[in-house]
Amino acid sequence: MAKIRLATTWLDGCSGCHMSFLDIDELLIGLAEKVEILFGPLVDYKEFPEHADVTLVEGAVSNEADKKNIVMIRARSGILVSFGDCAITANVPGMRNRYPVGEVMKRAYVENADSVPAGNGGVRSEAAGVAFQTVPPLCQKARPVHEFVPVDVFLPGCPPPPEAITFLLTELLAGRIPDMTGRTRFGA
Amino acid sequence: MKQHPQKKVRTDLNPSRLLTFKIDERDVSAHEDESILTVARQNGISIPTLCHLDGLSERGACRLCIIEVKGVAKLLPSCVTFPRQDMEVITNSERVVTYRKKILELLFTERNHVCSVCVSNGHCELQNLAVELGVTHVRYPYLYPRHAVDASHSRFSIDHNRCVLCLRCVRVCDEIEGAHTWDIMGRGITSQVITDLNQPWGTSETCTGCGKCVQVCPTGALSEKGKSVAEMIKRRQFLPYLQMMRGRQDDSWQK
Amino acid sequence: MTLNSEDLHQIAKIEKDKQDGFQHRIHVCVAAGCLSCGSGVLMDALGKEVNRRGLDNWCQIKGVGCLGLCAEGPLISLATSGTYYQGVKVSDVSDILDALGGNPVGRLLCPADTAFFKRQVRIVTENCGRIDPERIEEYIAESGYESLYLALTQMTPPEVIEQVTRSGLRGRGGAGYPTGLKWTTVSKAISSTKFIICNADEGDPGAFMDRSVLESDPHRVIEGMAIAGYATGASQGYIYVRAEYPLAVKRVRLALAQAERLGVLGNNIFNTHFNFTIKVRLGAGAFVCGEETALIASIEGRMGRPRPRPPFPAEFGLWEHPTLINNVETFANVPPIIRKGGKWFAGIGTEKSKGTKVFALAGKIVNTGLIEIPMGTPLRDIVFAIGGGIPGGKGFKAVQTGGPSGGCIPEQFLDMPVDYDSLLQVGSIMGSGGMIVMDETSCMVDVAKFFMEFCMSESCGKCAPCRVGTRQIYDILCRITGNQSTPEDLAMLEDLCDLMKNTSLCGLGQSAPNPVLTTLKYFRDEYLSHIHDRTCLAGACKTVVEVS
Ligand SMILES: Cc1cc2nc3c(=O)[nH]c(=O)nc-3n(C[C@H](O)[C@H](O)[C@H](O)COP(=O)(O)O)c2cc1C
Ligand code: SF4
């Protein structure tokens, strides 16, 4: 039997969902025989594959890079799974949505910066905030994945419990689109 | 407190009529002044609700308890609809279930219910309804409004981001505690529950600190201080007891 | 003091004689529209000039209610010759007086033989523009309070209701509920206390029929309410009028005081056992307070929020007592029905919609103003014959009836008779009588957005579908007019409209989608071109450059 080609990826998330994925423990061993992991934080490939049968997306769409990537990921994925609350509701990344982007950036990279960059006379300023140049520009709001591209399966939870992830993968392996009703919940 | 005209004090001299009707094809019997919701629950048929709470007056506002009645085109809120002999009620048709889901989704978009960081995570009626109705995601755009948190009270706090405007707090405070500290301000999407004349809860002179509002709140909007994520479990046992001790009929009704 | 029919006739006779004593009578419109463009000053000037010329006994100057053609104000009419003058200024006063008895002043002449005046049938507004609304005697001179006398002394309550039922009168507040049926229900309710409420909240944007009636002929409404009180067994009435109508409030209060002084309100009216008094309650201008259960809550001093019905107010209304609630215009129709009989009324209009309807014409139309026409008048006649068509040679696009709860009717239905059922068939409603005409430069998506914004800010917020639904729909319409929408938005729009229609608690939420649904039905191409081509077919919406 041909292996299922699986990719996992994250946008604006905390990696907790991926941790939960690892928490399916010994099932991973069985899984390895049926699944080929093409891409993701758990493996070390640099490029998103041309085609993945199933892609798990963790995290909200939060900046311009996410916006571009999610379209590409959608195009190259058979079944796209919104993996966890951040992908489904914007969850924690969405908590910044109540404040203007400028304020968020200032708070994160200027006011809360640990050290003052050298050569700036000890003054914290926007110009000095490294992130203002290196981080892709934030969107006005962090938003759920399905507001940008069609999503096939939703797996809520923060993070989704290992049992729900197992169920999802088992169903997908059996060639069914899983019905997650009652197996997990927002914030689980 | 008003009595719903359909309701009455049952006594020997003023007995209530009994009747039989059908809920989801099942024959059930009821007093004429028992709402369809009550009778359904007596018979183990679950109808989702949010603003309804046994022991408080009915509002008929959350619209989650809508049902179909054969021969009636309109959907009716079961909490304020009363049975008639031989009426045929359907509580779980595809039509009503779909509408319930959509209403719930709208409620999720209205404010910032970030379940993962909520004191009531795991013990929340809104969250449970999503599971019950199979809402795994929300199709409408989230509004992400900016709402305040009032933590000025010494023992409780309110997070308006998590309020669904069921007004249980308003009703329990008025009807059971008799303080009427809570009320509602504004209209439409800008509605908000307030304490006294929209002043910080901690400065309220009417609040007795009894905490009933906190216990009846279906979500994590009202909580006890010192509770961290998922630690806030509401205790409602007091309601029927107080009801009984105060000799009130459990069928008062807010117009 | 109790009054009898003799007294009534006496008052009428004195008043008539007084009027006949004048060679000329000049009526100046002092309803809100004309007042706002200076008719008050004009009336003063006329009075002073007449006095200066020593013509006080020869020419009477009288302030009257709405003359109808509000857009051309200030309006005056010469009651003796039937001449109308429009756009009259203080500087015209001498010319007008000079011309009395001779040839009218040409430049001010308002053609009175046009369809605007000729096609109208005046029942509700029969006294509008003819009597001084601030004097009860003038109302009595026009057979005022005769119907009340007739009802109280020669008819039993069931007979009164019988006439109303036979007339086929339907509620003018929006839904067109049969008035006779409502009266019967309230009369059957068993209670020693019942109430009559007159709904003068008139919250629809662009509607001002009820205001005009109250400003021009308040006694007619009072009489209608008193008759309703007699018929249903109520002895207390309330007029719930919005505080933004100060002139209407003032005139109603004055009329009530006069009626009480004369004894047509109070105890033992016309020497019978019937007592009836009326109080005025002011609304704070919330649209939802026009909804009957919210209105009742507001009168009771609670927050104006609707509650689920049943129980209906007829059974369980104000302070839990059976309550009859009718619109201003509904009550205003009652005195003539009692006076002339239900059969007479039923002879006007169509099979299922009897009598006349007052409309407020507004928007892109030549004759903006108030009209009263028989039910069943074709829409085309209203817009083009009576309304004078579209100004500036522009093409007609649609008529919006029923305000935020109504719909937009496209050109293909122009020949439709205007009555309750036909309007319902095309997805709109009669509503309270606002009629807004749109020409080819109006973007229908934008129109839908306007009404949805209104409903969003007027939603009381009690039930979730309306509270959040209006906001979500409004957001979608903003995206569409701002050319930032996706094809999926259209499906979501329809989905939300359907949800609100079927699950909202009160009429506001249930009917709020109507403007969207009708424009989607009849002007879908405008939505599609916004979504797919990013252009506004009407050229009304400015293209918003997409900012991420
Ligand atoms: C949102 C809403 C607003 C309303 N506004 C008015 C109003 O301004 N004036 C009015 O007469 N009726 C209004 N109505 C209708 C009233 O609820 C009620 O049906 C009417 O006053 C009954 O009088 P009628 O039978 O004479 O029409 C409104 C209804 C709704 C749902
Ligand atoms: S439909 Fe709208 S106005 Fe009516 S009760 Fe619901 S929220 Fe209030």
Side-chain angles (χ1 to χ4, degrees), chain B residues 1-6 58-63 66 73-77 80 95 98-100 102-103 105-107 109-110 139-143 145 163-167 183-191 253-255, chain C residues 284-288 296-297 300 302-303 305-311 315-320 456-469 471-472 475-476 479 492 495-496 498-499 502-506 510:
Chain B
M1 187 41 50
K2 320 264 177 189
Q3 284 256 302
H4 194 287
Q6 201 91 23
E58 302 290 5
R59 285 182 80 223
C62 74
R63 315 308 282 173
I66 45 170
K74 274 193 171 179
L75 301 173
L76 303 169
V80 288
R95 182 165 172 233
T98 316
Y99 281 138
R100 283 179 196 151
K102 290 178 181 171
I103 294 170
E105 288 178 47
L106 283 180
L107 281 172
T109 67
E110 188 184 9
R139 285 161 291 182
Y140 310 114
Y142 285 92
L143 299 176
C163 173
V164 289
L165 296 170
C166 67
L167 302 202
D183 214 315
I184 183 157
M185 167 181 94
R187 67 179 178 215
I189 195 112
T190 61
S191 306
W253 178 70
Q254 193 192 36
K255 283 213 299 176
Chain C
F287 175 59
V288 75
I296 286 172
E300 289 176 2
R302 293 181 293 119
M303 221 174 173
R305 290 211 149 97
R307 60 155 175 85
R309 301 175 305 173
E315 184 191 356
F316 193 83
L318 190 57
W319 289 300
E320 301 166 49
M456 176 178 74
S457 54
E458 294 295 331
S459 159
C460 82
K462 181 165 181 172
C463 70
C466 169
R467 185 177 70 231
V468 196
R471 168 69 197 273
Q472 291 280 8
D475 282 359
I476 296 177
R479 287 206 291 279
M492 196 188 287
D495 172 84
L496 282 166
D498 173 67
L499 175 71
N502 285 292
T503 62
S504 293
L505 193 160
C506 86
Q510 287 159 9

Side-chain angles (χ1 to χ4, degrees), chain B residues 4-202:
Chain B
H4 194 287
Q6 201 91 23
K7 308 222 167 189
K8 53 181 170 191
V9 181
R10 296 180 207 139
T11 64
D12 285 0
L13 292 176
N14 186 21
S16 116
R17 297 277 303 276
L18 291 169
L19 43 81
T20 55
F21 67 109
K22 276 198 167 75
I23 304 183
D24 296 340
E25 318 250 293
R26 266 171 63 184
D27 288 306
V28 295
S29 72
H31 282 283
E32 61 177 347
D33 61 353
E34 285 176 315
S35 71
I36 290 175
L37 177 69
T38 310
V39 181
R41 290 196 170 166
Q42 283 164 2
N43 287 277
I45 299 167
S46 97
I47 299 178
T49 54
L50 203 53
C51 65
H52 167 90
L53 187 65
D54 278 340
L56 297 184
S57 61
E58 302 290 5
R59 285 182 80 223
C62 74
R63 315 308 282 173
L64 286 171
C65 72
I66 45 170
I67 45 144
E68 278 189 78
V69 171
K70 274 226 177 99
V72 180
K74 274 193 171 179
L75 301 173
L76 303 169
S78 60
C79 62
V80 288
T81 306
F82 295 85
R84 273 175 284 110
Q85 181 65 37
D86 298 330
M87 187 186 226
E88 289 182 47
V89 173
I90 304 145
T91 68
N92 55 5
S93 68
E94 201 190 320
R95 182 165 172 233
V96 294
V97 173
T98 316
Y99 281 138
R100 283 179 196 151
K101 270 181 152 173
K102 290 178 181 171
I103 294 170
L104 195 68
E105 288 178 47
L106 283 180
L107 281 172
F108 270 107
T109 67
E110 188 184 9
R111 301 215 172 172
N112 307 302
H113 297 279
V114 192
C115 300
S116 54
V117 293
C118 177
V119 286
S120 284
N121 189 3
H123 317 286
C124 166
E125 291 183 40
L126 189 71
Q127 198 181 32
N128 290 345
L129 278 172
V131 175
E132 195 180 319
L133 294 173
V135 173
T136 54
H137 72 291
V138 172
R139 285 161 291 182
Y140 310 114
Y142 285 92
L143 299 176
Y144 302 120
R146 192 168 177 171
H147 283 286
V149 175
D150 178 357
S152 59
H153 194 280
S154 57
R155 289 165 47 221
F156 313 119
S157 68
I158 175 156
D159 181 354
H160 292 287
N161 291 292
R162 303 185 182 282
C163 173
V164 289
L165 296 170
C166 67
L167 302 202
R168 286 185 192 175
C169 53
V170 176
R171 285 175 287 159
V172 81
C173 185
D174 175 41
E175 297 163 16
I176 309 287
E177 177 63 7
H180 203 132
T181 300
W182 289 101
D183 214 315
I184 183 157
M185 167 181 94
R187 67 179 178 215
I189 195 112
T190 61
S191 306
Q192 189 187 311
V193 289
I194 52 169
T195 38
D196 285 357
L197 296 171
N198 190 26
Q199 65 206 56
W201 192 359

